[in-house]
Amino acid sequence: MHYDVIVIGGGHAGCEAARASAALGAKTALATHSFDTVGVMSCNPAIGGLGKGHLVREIDALDGLMARVADRSGIQFRMLNRKKGPAVRGPRTQSDRKLYREAMQAEIRAVEGLSILEGEVIDLSQDSSGAINGIKLADGTHVSCGAVVLTTGTFLRGLIHIGDKRFPAGRMGEKASTLLAYRLTKLNVPLGRLKTGTPPRLDGRTIDWKILDLQSADEELVPFSSMTDEIRVPQIDCGITRTTQKTHDLIRENLNRSAMYSGNISGTGPRYCPSVEDKIVKFGDRDGHQIFLEPEGLDDHTVYPNGISTSLPEDVQWAMMKTIPGLENAQILQPGYAIEYDHVDPKALDQSLNLVGTLGLYLAGQINGTTGYEEAGAQGLVAGINAAHFVGQKAPVHFSRTSSYIGVMIDDLTSRGVSEPYRMFTSRAEYRLSLRVDNADMRLSPLAVEIGLASSERAAHFEDVKTRLDDARVALKSKTLTPQEAGKHDIALNMDGVRRSGYDLLSYATIELPDLLRVWPELEQFDGDTLDRLAIEAHYAVYMDRQKADIESVRRDENLLIPAGIEFNTIAGLSNELRNKLNDRQPKSIAEAQRIEGMTPAGIALIIAQIRKQQKSAA
Amino acid sequence: MDTIVALSSGSLPSGVAIIRISGPKAATVISALGARITQPRQTSLQIFRDNDGSVIDEGLVLWFPAPHSFTGEDVVELQTHGSRAVVAGILDVLLSIDGVRHAEAGEFARRAFANGKIDLTEAEGLADLIDAETTAQRKVAQYLASGGLKDLYNDWQDQLLNARAMIEADIDFADEDDVPGSVADQVWNDMAKLYHSISAHLEGYDRSERIRDGFKISLIGKPNVGKSSLLNALAGSDRAIVSSEAGTTRDIVEVRLDIAGYLVLLSDTAGIREQAGSVEAEGIRRSIASAQEADLILFLSDEDEWHHDFINANSKVLNIRSKADLSSNIKPDEDTIFVSVNDAASVTSLLEKLSAIISIELDQSRIGSAIKSRYIDHLSQCLKDLNKSIESVDALELRAEHLRSAAYSLGRITGQFDTEDVLGRIFSSFCIGK
């Protein structure tokens, strides 16, 4: 048996990697413990959010799966930051776990050129040069391949803690891949240890919903995928409750029994997703902490109480429920737990997510120290594309931080590494105003079409959307009027006699689409979506012009790659401090070196000179 | 892309100074000097004026449109007289323009390199530049620490970090219970205060100080000790070029000299004595006032008496024993300089002494001045962005963008903080994670 690319792991990274690789024409296999677990949402059953929603839209623009699957399983669509500017809005939905899993499994089955390998992968094999050439399954089978995408999540030496109980595991009830971890150790991969947690799952039939505040879905449901016409899944409400003083007292009394605080856990947890113990210790002065009670499915009575992730012993978890309004009689179906796991230091990866020094090995998802389905899926796409390109001897595909959140994430990971599970926020993107959810397709679909990642339907759809946008833009720019004429239509402008186009007018905070339609009724020939998108584009146009030069120079620097093995120590003129920082950070591009504190233009020129010198003497 | 400007010839004073301007605005910014570009690659003689219209210097303008220039960008070179005052004056005018800033060390070369304008061997020459830069950075650090500015700027930086954390929390964690919806509002009051602090600080800066305004020397002494003769001797010497003009007050004669490439204002004052009529007393009052303002006092005496207790104790005083050729009983004294206007060698030796003092005094201030000039750039830029973020009625994400820029400019002085710092501040201020 031989495959071009084998993807190990059927989670969110694995699914995207497998689809991307197969779509690019590589003969691909998805290796998983069990096909039933493909597309499982192991934590909070929700997709999107601020920053994360951007990633989902970008995955969609590259014809990935997550957006479509979320659209077919979402049971509470909400656009976050609806009242703020379009650049920082984030689509989010809760998903029905079962619908999500089923939709993802259906997508995977439908991918042409993708096979499923059920079984535990216990090892990777390498040829004499060290390049990956196959995998070994627990039953002894060897399957050869040209590249592997490893997406094993928290399966690497996973250790679950519930109070003082602990046991090795991946997710609850699944095995940890200790043998594979051993292989990574042999590859001399730098590993780190992280921690994350999850709340107890409750039986929704035992919750007193009547006394709780409810949160509903938006009235207008905005899908993730530009291919989705409308959301057909029924929408549900979430309950909202709070911890009480009694909860806090109980937690304080039992703090020494929490795995987190008894010293049993060495991994670092995320600051933005603290356990309820952490919340009480660090923010104990608050009179209560909010809990969202999120039903896990339409016909599933399991409820995910978002906000009380914990590693307290089971008996304390039961006692804690009694102190929370609405949960006094709630039954715990599965206790909350903390999980520690190994991750690979992503600084050991290059921008294509290839493990530097091991040809053919790509890593994506939680194994790289990230958290979240969206972060995992986006990395899976990048790794899948690059694994297929590697096997097909095509140039790697890099994502720039100037054009996508995917690029921001890959760059953050590979240049800075992680000190806690990495999650996307819009504040991480310095070009946030141009990296919007509304233009994800314009930013990334041309690439998907160009390299053959997009299906023919997607390519045609994108062409259609783009043509409509272009036509409407031309029309808006060609229609002009003077301030006097504008005044006749109740649009107040500076009386400076300057003719302004419809496009210009849209950039004013005070002028909106309906105003323009009053002036030029013929604009109604364009559909609302197209005009809305143009309004957003025009709104930010002034800022885009300003950032353009910056973005160009960053892109230029990103394309100047620093080859592995560059001798920073031999560069005359660099201060010792800079040499040490360079040796420590091992920047992979000039853009990355540029961001090192204390780096100067002259220093950068010296590094470029050194690269050219080494290339010359090598040639 | 900013337009960058810097003195690109060697250290001053020199016969000719070359000021290089590179970037998209190169061709237009020189209109602020009252100059303009002419034919590419041909010299034209033009007059450079200050913002108030006064003449700074006359010199050559050379225009190299992109890509045929040193950096590959639009470049204008100004060739002026190599005096520090002229160069400081021209840089002042250029740097006051939006989008123009001082080039960082090696930045011309870096741009040239990026545009394929210089090759490997040339780039290696940059090593020298970096040595110079390391020295400069050390001096910057000392300067920052000495003036208490470090704490001040770090405090501002911290206020900006805090503001950004509040705004970013409102954007990225809008759905969190612990982040109240109005958290961003409280920020703008703080930022308005910060704006006023920075602008007051900037007003206090005298950009190029004594280099621009001149190093002030006062001749003080009793009547008839030879002050005027010494002034004439110094002014007439071929080592000091008299470039101007009679005095500004009827009692004080001021001449402008060029000593060691520095502008020096030498004032001859009315002689000071105890019993004087009212008119003369007024003259004496002015003499003393002039002495108080001077960077250096030449105290003349034709006898060995050095009573200058009327002079500010902080002033630097040089004792000059005048009419040295007329005295027979001169006592050798290390602190006293003997001068006779009839002895050219003694005048030259005084000039050498003055050159040394001025260089030491002004060199310190020159470092300060160069650093300050850069600070002013960054602080002004910070102020502009801060103002935009405060004044703007736009959406929060646009105001946040201005704050980001403001923090970036200040960070060029104090060192940058990045997203991790902002997130760190958010997570320590709010309980995030529902």
Side-chain angles (χ1 to χ4, degrees), chain A residues 50 81 84-85 242 272 274 279 286 290 306-307 416 425-428 432 540 557 573 600 604 606 608-609, chain B residues 1 110 113 120 130 133 168 170-174 177-178 397 415-416 418 420 424 429-430 432-434:
Chain A
L50 296 165
N81 274 345
K84 299 195 180 88
R242 302 179 74 81
Y272 46 81
K279 289 184 179 183
R286 311 293 199 269
Q290 214 171 26
N306 200 347
R416 295 161 171 270
F425 303 109
T426 71
S427 46
R428 294 194 193 275
R432 174 163 71 188
Y540 291 114
D557 289 347
T600 60
I604 289 293
L606 284 174
I608 299 174
Chain B
M1 183 85 61
R110 160 84 168 105
F113 202 74
L120 199 59
I130 300 205
E133 181 185 312
E168 295 297 333
D170 203 358
I171 291 174
D172 261 336
F173 304 100
D177 178 42
D178 206 44
E397 77 277 13
Q416 301 292 344
D418 65 8
E420 280 308 315
S429 310
F430 302 110
I432 302 291
K434 56 181 189 190

Side-chain angles (χ1 to χ4, degrees), chain A residues 50-51 78 80-81 84-88 92 242 271-274 279 283 286 288-290 292 294 306-307 416 420 423 425-430 432-433 509 539-540 543 546-547 549-550 553 556-557 560 572-575 590 594 597-598 600-606 608-610 612-613 616, chain B residues 1 104-107 109-110 113-115 118 120 123-131 133-134 137 164 167-168 170-178 388 392-402 404 411 414-420 422-434:
Chain A
L50 296 165
R78 289 174 61 229
L80 305 182
N81 274 345
K84 299 195 180 88
V88 292
R92 179 189 192 270
R242 302 179 74 81
R271 288 169 298 174
Y272 46 81
C273 191
K279 289 184 179 183
F283 299 97
R286 311 293 199 269
H289 295 273
Q290 214 171 26
F292 281 77
E294 304 177 344
N306 200 347
R416 295 161 171 270
E420 67 182 328
R423 176 180 146 183
F425 303 109
T426 71
S427 46
R428 294 194 193 275
E430 43 288 78
R432 174 163 71 188
L433 298 184
H539 180 59
Y540 291 114
Y543 293 84
R546 212 171 293 160
Q547 285 189 352
D550 278 359
S553 83
R556 184 192 67 198
D557 289 347
L560 281 170
L574 282 187
S575 67
I590 289 297
Q594 185 88 62
E597 185 75 51
T600 60
I604 289 293
L606 284 174
I608 299 174
Q610 179 75 3
R612 303 226 174 125
K613 194 158 95 183
K616 236 184 207 170
Chain B
M1 183 85 61
E104 291 172 42
E107 198 166 8
R110 160 84 168 105
F113 202 74
N115 292 325
I118 52 175
L120 199 59
E124 282 174 345
L126 286 170
D128 296 340
L129 241 175
I130 300 205
D131 282 340
E133 181 185 312
T134 315
Q137 275 171 354
R164 286 199 60 206
I167 302 292
E168 295 297 333
D170 203 358
I171 291 174
D172 261 336
F173 304 100
D175 53 337
E176 293 282 349
D177 178 42
D178 206 44
K388 282 183 199 157
S392 170
V393 291
D394 282 330
L396 193 61
E397 77 277 13
L398 297 177
R399 305 180 78 176
E401 213 54 40
H402 294 307
R404 188 198 291 270
T414 57
Q416 301 292 344
F417 56 72
D418 65 8
T419 313
E420 280 308 315
V422 176
L423 290 172
R425 191 63 64 98
I426 294 175
F427 298 137
S428 61
S429 310
F430 302 110
C431 184
I432 302 291
K434 56 181 189 190

